[in-house]
Short mmCIF file of all heavy atoms in Angstrom, two decimals:
data_model
loop_
_atom_site.label_atom_id
_atom_site.label_comp_id
_atom_site.label_asym_id
_atom_site.label_seq_id
_atom_site.Cartn_x
_atom_site.Cartn_y
_atom_site.Cartn_z
N MET A 176 100.25 71.26 53.64
CA MET A 176 100.96 70.16 54.43
C MET A 176 101.42 70.71 55.74
O MET A 176 102.02 71.73 55.77
CB MET A 176 102.07 69.44 53.65
CG MET A 176 102.78 68.49 54.40
SD MET A 176 104.06 67.53 53.33
CE MET A 176 104.71 69.00 52.39
N LYS A 177 101.01 70.04 56.85
CA LYS A 177 101.53 70.46 58.10
C LYS A 177 102.39 69.26 58.77
O LYS A 177 102.00 68.08 58.54
CB LYS A 177 100.44 70.74 59.13
CG LYS A 177 99.73 71.91 58.72
CD LYS A 177 98.65 72.32 59.73
CE LYS A 177 97.83 73.48 59.29
NZ LYS A 177 96.34 73.30 59.54
N VAL A 178 103.46 69.60 59.41
CA VAL A 178 104.32 68.54 60.10
C VAL A 178 104.39 68.82 61.50
O VAL A 178 104.55 70.00 61.82
CB VAL A 178 105.73 68.62 59.35
CG1 VAL A 178 106.61 67.68 60.23
CG2 VAL A 178 105.74 68.23 57.94
N VAL A 179 104.17 67.91 62.28
CA VAL A 179 104.27 67.98 63.73
C VAL A 179 105.21 66.86 64.21
O VAL A 179 105.16 65.72 63.86
CB VAL A 179 102.86 67.81 64.48
CG1 VAL A 179 103.04 67.84 65.96
CG2 VAL A 179 101.96 68.87 63.98
N VAL A 180 106.08 67.16 64.99
CA VAL A 180 107.06 66.29 65.60
C VAL A 180 106.74 66.20 67.07
O VAL A 180 106.86 67.33 67.71
CB VAL A 180 108.49 66.57 65.32
CG1 VAL A 180 109.43 65.53 66.05
CG2 VAL A 180 108.71 66.56 63.77
N ASP A 181 106.43 65.10 67.66
CA ASP A 181 106.40 64.91 69.19
C ASP A 181 107.80 64.86 69.77
O ASP A 181 108.47 63.90 69.59
CB ASP A 181 105.60 63.59 69.47
CG ASP A 181 105.32 63.58 70.87
OD1 ASP A 181 106.04 64.19 71.66
OD2 ASP A 181 104.36 62.78 71.27
N LEU A 182 108.16 66.00 70.19
CA LEU A 182 109.44 66.22 70.75
C LEU A 182 109.74 65.37 72.16
O LEU A 182 110.82 65.29 72.53
CB LEU A 182 109.94 67.58 70.94
CG LEU A 182 109.94 68.49 69.51
CD1 LEU A 182 110.21 69.90 69.84
CD2 LEU A 182 110.92 67.87 68.64
N ASN A 183 108.64 64.90 72.64
CA ASN A 183 108.69 64.16 73.76
C ASN A 183 109.17 62.67 73.36
O ASN A 183 109.78 61.99 74.19
CB ASN A 183 107.47 63.96 74.55
CG ASN A 183 107.13 65.28 75.32
OD1 ASN A 183 107.97 66.00 75.84
ND2 ASN A 183 105.86 65.68 75.10
N LEU A 184 108.77 62.30 72.16
CA LEU A 184 109.19 60.96 71.66
C LEU A 184 110.58 61.02 71.06
O LEU A 184 111.30 60.09 71.02
CB LEU A 184 108.16 60.47 70.63
CG LEU A 184 106.83 60.09 71.14
CD1 LEU A 184 105.97 59.64 70.00
CD2 LEU A 184 107.03 58.70 72.05
N CYS A 185 110.82 62.20 70.43
CA CYS A 185 112.03 62.28 69.46
C CYS A 185 113.23 62.09 70.28
O CYS A 185 113.42 62.69 71.44
CB CYS A 185 112.10 63.74 68.86
SG CYS A 185 113.62 64.05 67.97
N GLN A 186 114.04 61.15 69.85
CA GLN A 186 115.43 60.88 70.52
C GLN A 186 116.62 61.42 69.86
O GLN A 186 117.68 61.07 70.20
CB GLN A 186 115.49 59.35 70.59
CG GLN A 186 114.40 58.60 71.36
CD GLN A 186 114.33 59.05 72.86
OE1 GLN A 186 115.25 59.16 73.53
NE2 GLN A 186 113.11 59.43 73.28
N GLY A 187 116.34 62.24 68.81
CA GLY A 187 117.48 62.89 68.09
C GLY A 187 118.28 61.88 67.34
O GLY A 187 119.49 62.17 67.08
N TYR A 188 117.68 60.86 66.84
CA TYR A 188 118.46 59.87 66.06
C TYR A 188 118.82 60.44 64.71
O TYR A 188 119.97 59.99 64.10
CB TYR A 188 117.53 58.58 65.78
CG TYR A 188 117.27 57.79 67.03
CD1 TYR A 188 115.91 57.46 67.25
CD2 TYR A 188 118.20 57.44 67.81
CE1 TYR A 188 115.62 56.78 68.36
CE2 TYR A 188 117.88 56.66 69.00
CZ TYR A 188 116.62 56.32 69.31
OH TYR A 188 116.23 55.58 70.30
N GLY A 189 118.10 61.30 64.09
CA GLY A 189 118.55 61.98 62.95
C GLY A 189 118.23 61.29 61.59
O GLY A 189 118.58 61.86 60.53
N GLN A 190 117.51 60.23 61.73
CA GLN A 190 117.03 59.61 60.39
C GLN A 190 116.20 60.61 59.55
O GLN A 190 116.45 60.59 58.32
CB GLN A 190 116.28 58.26 60.60
CG GLN A 190 117.24 57.18 60.91
CD GLN A 190 117.52 56.98 62.38
OE1 GLN A 190 117.25 58.01 63.14
NE2 GLN A 190 117.76 55.86 62.81
N CYS A 191 115.43 61.42 60.14
CA CYS A 191 114.59 62.24 59.32
C CYS A 191 115.47 63.34 58.61
O CYS A 191 115.12 63.74 57.48
CB CYS A 191 113.58 63.03 60.30
SG CYS A 191 114.33 63.86 61.63
N CYS A 192 116.46 63.67 59.28
CA CYS A 192 117.42 64.66 58.61
C CYS A 192 118.07 64.09 57.40
O CYS A 192 118.49 64.82 56.40
CB CYS A 192 118.50 64.96 59.67
SG CYS A 192 117.75 65.68 61.12
N TYR A 193 118.35 62.87 57.40
CA TYR A 193 119.04 62.18 56.18
C TYR A 193 117.94 62.08 55.07
O TYR A 193 118.20 62.23 53.91
CB TYR A 193 119.43 60.79 56.56
CG TYR A 193 120.69 60.83 57.46
CD1 TYR A 193 120.63 60.30 58.64
CD2 TYR A 193 121.95 61.36 56.91
CE1 TYR A 193 121.79 60.29 59.46
CE2 TYR A 193 122.98 61.42 57.74
CZ TYR A 193 122.93 60.82 59.03
OH TYR A 193 124.03 60.94 59.89
N GLU A 194 116.70 61.76 55.46
CA GLU A 194 115.67 61.52 54.42
C GLU A 194 115.15 62.90 53.86
O GLU A 194 114.88 62.97 52.68
CB GLU A 194 114.50 60.80 55.08
CG GLU A 194 114.80 59.37 55.40
CD GLU A 194 115.04 58.54 54.23
OE1 GLU A 194 114.81 58.85 53.01
OE2 GLU A 194 115.60 57.44 54.52
N ALA A 195 115.06 63.88 54.75
CA ALA A 195 114.55 65.22 54.25
C ALA A 195 115.37 66.34 54.83
O ALA A 195 114.91 67.15 55.75
CB ALA A 195 113.05 65.34 54.73
N PRO A 196 116.62 66.53 54.33
CA PRO A 196 117.43 67.50 54.91
C PRO A 196 117.00 69.02 54.76
O PRO A 196 117.44 69.78 55.58
CB PRO A 196 118.81 67.25 54.23
CG PRO A 196 118.57 66.46 52.91
CD PRO A 196 117.27 65.73 53.36
N ASP A 197 116.01 69.21 53.89
CA ASP A 197 115.59 70.62 53.64
C ASP A 197 114.47 70.85 54.69
O ASP A 197 114.08 72.11 54.82
CB ASP A 197 115.02 70.74 52.28
CG ASP A 197 116.11 70.82 51.22
OD1 ASP A 197 117.27 71.17 51.60
OD2 ASP A 197 115.85 70.53 50.01
N ALA A 198 113.99 69.86 55.35
CA ALA A 198 112.94 70.07 56.25
C ALA A 198 113.22 69.84 57.76
O ALA A 198 112.55 70.40 58.62
CB ALA A 198 111.71 69.15 55.95
N PHE A 199 114.21 68.90 57.94
CA PHE A 199 114.61 68.64 59.41
C PHE A 199 116.08 68.84 59.57
O PHE A 199 116.93 68.41 58.77
CB PHE A 199 114.28 67.15 59.61
CG PHE A 199 112.89 66.80 59.51
CD1 PHE A 199 112.38 66.22 58.35
CD2 PHE A 199 111.92 66.93 60.52
CE1 PHE A 199 111.03 65.83 58.16
CE2 PHE A 199 110.63 66.57 60.43
CZ PHE A 199 110.17 66.07 59.16
N LYS A 200 116.37 69.45 60.67
CA LYS A 200 117.84 69.62 61.05
C LYS A 200 118.04 69.35 62.50
O LYS A 200 117.16 69.75 63.28
CB LYS A 200 118.31 70.97 60.67
CG LYS A 200 118.30 71.24 59.18
CD LYS A 200 118.94 72.68 58.84
CE LYS A 200 119.20 72.73 57.37
NZ LYS A 200 118.29 72.31 56.29
N LEU A 201 119.17 68.83 62.82
CA LEU A 201 119.43 68.72 64.21
C LEU A 201 120.54 69.88 64.61
O LEU A 201 121.42 70.10 63.82
CB LEU A 201 120.24 67.27 64.43
CG LEU A 201 119.32 66.10 64.69
CD1 LEU A 201 120.17 64.82 64.95
CD2 LEU A 201 118.45 66.36 65.90
N LYS A 202 120.10 70.40 65.63
CA LYS A 202 121.01 71.36 66.24
C LYS A 202 121.83 70.75 67.34
O LYS A 202 121.09 70.30 68.27
CB LYS A 202 120.07 72.56 66.87
CG LYS A 202 120.16 73.84 65.97
CD LYS A 202 119.41 74.82 66.82
CE LYS A 202 119.58 76.35 66.09
NZ LYS A 202 118.81 77.27 66.89
N GLY A 203 123.01 70.87 67.30
CA GLY A 203 123.82 70.01 68.28
C GLY A 203 123.54 68.63 68.11
O GLY A 203 123.34 68.21 67.10
N THR A 204 123.51 67.90 69.15
CA THR A 204 123.29 66.49 69.06
C THR A 204 121.91 65.97 69.17
O THR A 204 121.61 64.86 68.54
CB THR A 204 124.23 65.79 70.01
OG1 THR A 204 123.81 66.17 71.32
CG2 THR A 204 125.61 65.76 69.74
N GLU A 205 120.99 66.78 69.79
CA GLU A 205 119.62 66.26 69.97
C GLU A 205 118.55 67.21 69.81
O GLU A 205 117.42 66.83 70.24
CB GLU A 205 119.53 65.41 71.21
CG GLU A 205 119.98 66.07 72.44
CD GLU A 205 119.98 65.13 73.61
OE1 GLU A 205 120.49 64.04 73.50
OE2 GLU A 205 119.45 65.61 74.63
N ILE A 206 118.76 68.46 69.45
CA ILE A 206 117.65 69.38 69.31
C ILE A 206 117.15 69.43 67.89
O ILE A 206 117.99 69.71 67.04
CB ILE A 206 118.08 70.81 69.85
CG1 ILE A 206 118.47 70.68 71.18
CG2 ILE A 206 116.84 71.80 69.59
CD1 ILE A 206 119.06 72.04 71.70
N LEU A 207 116.00 69.02 67.71
CA LEU A 207 115.50 68.91 66.19
C LEU A 207 114.80 70.13 65.96
O LEU A 207 113.95 70.67 66.72
CB LEU A 207 114.62 67.70 66.15
CG LEU A 207 113.96 67.54 64.69
CD1 LEU A 207 115.10 67.07 63.86
CD2 LEU A 207 112.77 66.54 64.74
N VAL A 208 115.16 70.77 64.86
CA VAL A 208 114.31 71.91 64.30
C VAL A 208 113.85 71.53 62.97
O VAL A 208 114.41 70.80 62.25
CB VAL A 208 115.25 73.32 64.15
CG1 VAL A 208 115.65 73.82 65.58
CG2 VAL A 208 116.48 73.05 63.31
N TYR A 209 112.57 72.02 62.65
CA TYR A 209 111.90 71.57 61.47
C TYR A 209 110.87 72.59 61.04
O TYR A 209 110.54 73.38 61.73
CB TYR A 209 111.25 70.28 61.77
CG TYR A 209 110.09 70.22 62.71
CD1 TYR A 209 108.88 70.29 62.18
CD2 TYR A 209 110.47 70.17 64.00
CE1 TYR A 209 107.76 70.27 63.13
CE2 TYR A 209 109.28 70.21 64.90
CZ TYR A 209 107.96 70.18 64.50
OH TYR A 209 106.90 70.14 65.30
N ASP A 210 110.56 72.46 59.72
CA ASP A 210 109.54 73.29 59.11
C ASP A 210 108.14 72.82 59.28
O ASP A 210 107.83 71.66 58.95
CB ASP A 210 110.04 73.30 57.54
CG ASP A 210 109.15 74.43 56.77
OD1 ASP A 210 108.15 75.00 57.35
OD2 ASP A 210 109.58 74.63 55.65
N TYR A 211 107.36 73.67 59.98
CA TYR A 211 106.04 73.16 60.37
C TYR A 211 105.09 73.23 59.15
O TYR A 211 104.09 72.33 59.14
CB TYR A 211 105.31 74.16 61.34
CG TYR A 211 106.15 74.34 62.62
CD1 TYR A 211 107.20 75.18 62.92
CD2 TYR A 211 105.72 73.52 63.75
CE1 TYR A 211 107.98 75.25 64.02
CE2 TYR A 211 106.42 73.60 64.96
CZ TYR A 211 107.47 74.47 65.12
OH TYR A 211 108.13 74.62 66.25
N ALA A 212 105.40 73.97 58.19
CA ALA A 212 104.54 74.03 57.00
C ALA A 212 105.41 74.04 55.71
O ALA A 212 105.52 75.08 55.14
CB ALA A 212 103.61 75.35 57.04
N PRO A 213 105.96 72.85 55.41
CA PRO A 213 106.89 72.83 54.33
C PRO A 213 106.19 72.84 52.99
O PRO A 213 105.02 72.57 52.84
CB PRO A 213 107.58 71.51 54.59
CG PRO A 213 106.65 70.73 55.24
CD PRO A 213 105.81 71.56 56.16
N PRO A 214 106.95 73.26 51.91
CA PRO A 214 106.36 73.35 50.56
C PRO A 214 105.99 71.89 50.10
O PRO A 214 106.70 70.93 50.56
CB PRO A 214 107.51 73.89 49.79
CG PRO A 214 108.78 73.78 50.50
CD PRO A 214 108.44 73.65 52.01
N LYS A 215 105.13 71.82 49.16
CA LYS A 215 104.66 70.49 48.70
C LYS A 215 105.74 69.70 48.03
O LYS A 215 105.71 68.53 48.01
CB LYS A 215 103.52 70.79 47.75
CG LYS A 215 102.78 69.56 47.29
CD LYS A 215 101.55 69.83 46.59
CE LYS A 215 100.77 68.59 46.01
NZ LYS A 215 101.52 68.01 44.84
N ARG A 216 106.72 70.37 47.45
CA ARG A 216 107.85 69.76 46.77
C ARG A 216 108.54 68.72 47.63
O ARG A 216 109.26 67.86 47.25
CB ARG A 216 108.75 70.67 46.08
CG ARG A 216 109.52 71.49 46.99
CD ARG A 216 110.38 72.53 46.23
NE ARG A 216 110.82 73.47 47.07
CZ ARG A 216 111.86 73.41 48.01
NH1 ARG A 216 112.57 72.27 47.99
NH2 ARG A 216 112.22 74.41 48.79
N LEU A 217 108.54 69.01 49.03
CA LEU A 217 109.25 68.19 49.97
C LEU A 217 108.35 67.06 50.43
O LEU A 217 108.82 66.27 51.25
CB LEU A 217 109.58 69.09 51.06
CG LEU A 217 110.69 70.29 50.88
CD1 LEU A 217 110.95 70.94 52.11
CD2 LEU A 217 111.88 69.60 50.21
N GLN A 218 107.16 66.86 50.02
CA GLN A 218 106.24 65.95 50.55
C GLN A 218 106.74 64.49 50.53
O GLN A 218 106.71 63.65 51.51
CB GLN A 218 104.84 65.99 49.83
CG GLN A 218 103.82 65.00 50.36
CD GLN A 218 102.55 65.19 49.81
OE1 GLN A 218 102.08 66.33 49.40
NE2 GLN A 218 101.79 64.20 49.54
N GLY A 219 107.31 64.08 49.33
CA GLY A 219 107.89 62.63 49.27
C GLY A 219 109.02 62.46 50.34
O GLY A 219 108.99 61.40 50.95
N ALA A 220 109.96 63.45 50.43
CA ALA A 220 111.06 63.30 51.29
C ALA A 220 110.43 63.19 52.87
O ALA A 220 111.05 62.52 53.60
CB ALA A 220 112.04 64.33 51.17
N ILE A 221 109.40 64.06 53.10
CA ILE A 221 108.96 64.18 54.49
C ILE A 221 108.15 62.88 54.77
O ILE A 221 108.35 62.39 55.94
CB ILE A 221 108.04 65.46 54.54
CG1 ILE A 221 109.01 66.61 54.59
CG2 ILE A 221 107.27 65.31 55.78
CD1 ILE A 221 108.22 67.93 54.48
N MET A 222 107.50 62.27 53.85
CA MET A 222 106.82 60.93 54.12
C MET A 222 107.88 59.94 54.39
O MET A 222 107.62 59.06 55.27
CB MET A 222 105.92 60.66 52.91
CG MET A 222 104.68 61.63 52.56
SD MET A 222 103.75 61.97 54.02
CE MET A 222 102.71 60.55 53.99
N ARG A 223 108.95 59.97 53.59
CA ARG A 223 110.02 58.97 53.86
C ARG A 223 110.64 59.20 55.21
O ARG A 223 110.92 58.20 55.92
CB ARG A 223 111.06 59.02 52.82
CG ARG A 223 110.64 58.50 51.45
CD ARG A 223 111.90 58.23 50.50
NE ARG A 223 112.58 59.55 50.12
CZ ARG A 223 112.14 60.37 49.21
NH1 ARG A 223 111.07 59.97 48.54
NH2 ARG A 223 112.78 61.41 48.93
N ALA A 224 110.74 60.47 55.67
CA ALA A 224 111.31 60.86 56.95
C ALA A 224 110.48 60.28 58.07
O ALA A 224 110.92 59.74 59.01
CB ALA A 224 111.58 62.38 57.12
N ALA A 225 109.05 60.41 57.82
CA ALA A 225 108.11 59.90 58.82
C ALA A 225 108.18 58.34 59.06
O ALA A 225 108.14 57.87 59.98
CB ALA A 225 106.75 60.34 58.48
N GLN A 226 108.34 57.74 57.84
CA GLN A 226 108.49 56.28 57.90
C GLN A 226 109.79 55.87 58.52
O GLN A 226 109.84 54.81 59.28
CB GLN A 226 108.45 55.74 56.50
CG GLN A 226 107.13 55.81 55.76
CD GLN A 226 106.12 54.86 56.41
OE1 GLN A 226 106.43 53.79 56.62
NE2 GLN A 226 104.99 55.37 56.55
N ALA A 227 110.89 56.62 58.34
CA ALA A 227 112.19 56.34 58.82
C ALA A 227 112.37 56.52 60.32
O ALA A 227 113.19 55.87 60.94
CB ALA A 227 113.29 57.13 58.10
N CYS A 228 111.48 57.34 60.95
CA CYS A 228 111.75 57.68 62.38
C CYS A 228 111.43 56.44 63.23
O CYS A 228 110.33 55.91 63.23
CB CYS A 228 110.72 58.79 62.77
SG CYS A 228 110.89 59.12 64.51
N PRO A 229 112.42 55.98 63.99
CA PRO A 229 112.19 54.71 64.70
C PRO A 229 111.27 54.82 65.87
O PRO A 229 110.79 53.79 66.40
CB PRO A 229 113.72 54.62 65.30
CG PRO A 229 114.39 55.79 65.15
CD PRO A 229 113.73 56.54 64.05
N VAL A 230 110.95 56.07 66.28
CA VAL A 230 109.85 56.15 67.38
C VAL A 230 108.61 56.75 66.88
O VAL A 230 107.68 57.14 67.59
CB VAL A 230 110.55 57.04 68.50
CG1 VAL A 230 111.59 56.29 69.27
CG2 VAL A 230 111.01 58.35 68.01
N ARG A 231 108.44 56.89 65.50
CA ARG A 231 107.19 57.36 64.93
C ARG A 231 106.79 58.72 65.64
O ARG A 231 105.59 58.94 65.88
CB ARG A 231 106.15 56.28 65.01
CG ARG A 231 106.31 55.09 64.32
CD ARG A 231 106.09 55.33 62.86
NE ARG A 231 106.13 54.17 62.03
CZ ARG A 231 107.08 53.71 61.28
NH1 ARG A 231 108.19 54.48 61.18
NH2 ARG A 231 107.05 52.65 60.58
N ALA A 232 107.78 59.56 65.65
CA ALA A 232 107.45 60.90 66.36
C ALA A 232 106.95 61.86 65.30
O ALA A 232 106.51 62.94 65.77
CB ALA A 232 108.75 61.52 66.89
N ILE A 233 106.96 61.64 64.01
CA ILE A 233 106.57 62.57 62.99
C ILE A 233 105.24 62.36 62.43
O ILE A 233 104.87 61.17 62.07
CB ILE A 233 107.58 62.57 61.83
CG1 ILE A 233 109.00 62.81 62.31
CG2 ILE A 233 107.19 63.58 60.61
CD1 ILE A 233 110.10 62.58 61.23
N THR A 234 104.36 63.35 62.61
CA THR A 234 103.00 63.22 62.00
C THR A 234 102.90 64.21 60.82
O THR A 234 103.27 65.39 60.97
CB THR A 234 101.99 63.58 63.03
OG1 THR A 234 102.08 62.75 64.15
CG2 THR A 234 100.52 63.49 62.52
N VAL A 235 102.35 63.77 59.67
CA VAL A 235 102.26 64.65 58.55
C VAL A 235 100.75 64.75 58.13
O VAL A 235 100.05 63.68 58.14
CB VAL A 235 102.84 63.96 57.27
CG1 VAL A 235 102.78 64.90 56.19
CG2 VAL A 235 104.48 63.79 57.59
N GLU A 236 100.22 66.04 58.14
CA GLU A 236 98.78 66.17 57.74
C GLU A 236 98.85 66.86 56.29
O GLU A 236 99.44 67.78 56.02
CB GLU A 236 98.17 67.15 58.65
CG GLU A 236 97.84 66.66 59.99
CD GLU A 236 97.28 67.77 60.91
OE1 GLU A 236 96.60 68.68 60.36
OE2 GLU A 236 97.42 67.55 62.03
N ILE A 237 98.10 66.14 55.44
CA ILE A 237 98.02 66.65 54.11
C ILE A 237 96.66 67.32 53.88
O ILE A 237 95.56 66.78 54.23
CB ILE A 237 98.13 65.55 53.04
CG1 ILE A 237 99.28 64.64 53.23
CG2 ILE A 237 98.07 66.07 51.62
CD1 ILE A 237 100.59 65.28 52.90
N ASP A 238 96.74 68.60 53.59
CA ASP A 238 95.50 69.35 53.35
C ASP A 238 95.27 69.37 51.78
O ASP A 238 95.89 70.19 51.16
CB ASP A 238 95.65 70.78 53.98
CG ASP A 238 94.30 71.53 53.86
OD1 ASP A 238 93.46 71.14 53.05
OD2 ASP A 238 94.20 72.58 54.50
N GLU A 239 94.28 68.67 51.42
CA GLU A 239 93.92 68.49 49.97
C GLU A 239 93.59 69.90 49.44
O GLU A 239 93.84 70.15 48.25
CB GLU A 239 92.77 67.58 49.73
CG GLU A 239 93.07 66.20 50.19
CD GLU A 239 94.19 65.50 49.59
OE1 GLU A 239 94.39 65.79 48.42
OE2 GLU A 239 94.76 64.56 50.12
N ARG A 240 92.99 70.78 50.14
CA ARG A 240 92.65 72.10 49.61
C ARG A 240 93.79 72.82 49.22
O ARG A 240 93.68 73.81 48.39
CB ARG A 240 91.79 72.82 50.63
CG ARG A 240 90.43 72.21 50.90
CD ARG A 240 89.81 72.91 52.13
NE ARG A 240 90.68 72.66 53.21
CZ ARG A 240 90.48 73.19 54.46
NH1 ARG A 240 89.39 73.98 54.60
NH2 ARG A 240 91.21 72.95 55.44
N GLN A 241 94.95 72.56 49.75
CA GLN A 241 96.18 73.41 49.56
C GLN A 241 96.97 72.80 48.42
O GLN A 241 98.04 73.29 48.12
CB GLN A 241 96.93 73.61 50.76
CG GLN A 241 96.37 74.46 51.74
CD GLN A 241 97.13 74.65 53.04
OE1 GLN A 241 98.15 73.94 53.18
NE2 GLN A 241 96.86 75.57 53.80
N GLU A 242 96.54 71.78 47.74
CA GLU A 242 97.19 70.98 46.83
C GLU A 242 97.75 72.08 45.75
O GLU A 242 96.95 72.87 45.22
CB GLU A 242 96.37 70.05 46.03
CG GLU A 242 96.22 68.74 46.77
CD GLU A 242 97.55 67.92 46.83
OE1 GLU A 242 98.10 67.60 45.85
OE2 GLU A 242 97.94 67.58 47.96
N GLY A 243 99.14 72.09 45.53
CA GLY A 243 99.64 72.95 44.49
C GLY A 243 99.77 74.44 44.88
O GLY A 243 100.36 75.21 44.17
N GLU A 244 99.40 74.71 46.05
CA GLU A 244 99.37 76.19 46.47
C GLU A 244 100.67 76.70 46.92
O GLU A 244 101.09 77.86 46.60
CB GLU A 244 98.29 76.40 47.56
CG GLU A 244 96.96 76.83 46.96
CD GLU A 244 96.01 77.17 48.08
OE1 GLU A 244 96.40 77.48 49.17
OE2 GLU A 244 94.77 77.09 47.84
N ASN A 245 101.35 75.94 47.78
CA ASN A 245 102.61 76.51 48.48
C ASN A 245 103.92 75.88 47.82
O ASN A 245 104.87 75.58 48.48
CB ASN A 245 102.50 76.34 49.91
CG ASN A 245 102.41 74.94 50.34
OD1 ASN A 245 102.15 74.03 49.50
ND2 ASN A 245 102.57 74.62 51.57
N ASP A 246 103.91 75.80 46.46
CA ASP A 246 105.05 75.32 45.82
C ASP A 246 106.00 76.43 45.36
O ASP A 246 105.51 77.36 44.80
CB ASP A 246 104.74 74.29 44.74
CG ASP A 246 105.46 73.01 45.05
OD1 ASP A 246 106.47 72.96 45.82
OD2 ASP A 246 105.12 72.03 44.34
S1 SF4 B 301 113.99 60.41 63.04
FE1 SF4 B 301 112.56 60.73 64.75
S2 SF4 B 301 113.66 60.36 66.66
FE2 SF4 B 301 115.07 60.84 65.02
S3 SF4 B 301 115.49 63.12 65.05
FE3 SF4 B 301 113.85 62.58 63.50
S4 SF4 B 301 111.92 62.87 64.64
FE4 SF4 B 301 113.52 62.60 66.12
#
């Protein structure tokens, strides 16, 4: 799984941090840091984070070949 956040779109609202705190964190008030290649166990939370982002800045790519590999 790969995660990309368009930081030009991101407004630092922080909804993703509430949905997936192990994958997304706000540094200060608006600098988002995140895991580019998170473990599969976070997939559900990350998908919810992508849905929750009000500006749709989060893109999630699921690589079927890596299913079960990086847990
Ligand atoms: S929810 Fe969206 S806009 Fe808010 S911090 Fe996360 S990526 Fe940025």
Side-chain angles (χ1 to χ4, degrees):
M176 175 173 38
K177 289 185 189 142
V178 175
V179 177
V180 178
D181 185 337
L182 295 175
N183 292 315
L184 287 177
C185 174
Q186 301 296 313
Y188 294 127
Q190 280 89 336
C191 56
C192 306
Y193 290 113
E194 295 292 344
D197 290 337
F199 299 96
K200 288 187 174 38
L201 275 178
K202 253 186 169 178
T204 52
E205 51 185 47
I206 299 171
L207 183 70
V208 291
Y209 65 101
D210 190 346
Y211 299 87
K215 187 170 180 278
R216 66 184 166 79
L217 297 180
Q218 185 174 323
I221 288 170
M222 297 308 279
R223 287 194 296 279
Q226 291 289 319
C228 177
V230 294
R231 293 286 188 256
I233 302 171
T234 303
V235 182
E236 286 178 28
I237 308 290
D238 186 344
E239 301 295 336
R240 290 170 301 175
Q241 290 181 346
E242 283 291 305
E244 270 183 22
N245 59 352
D246 235 343

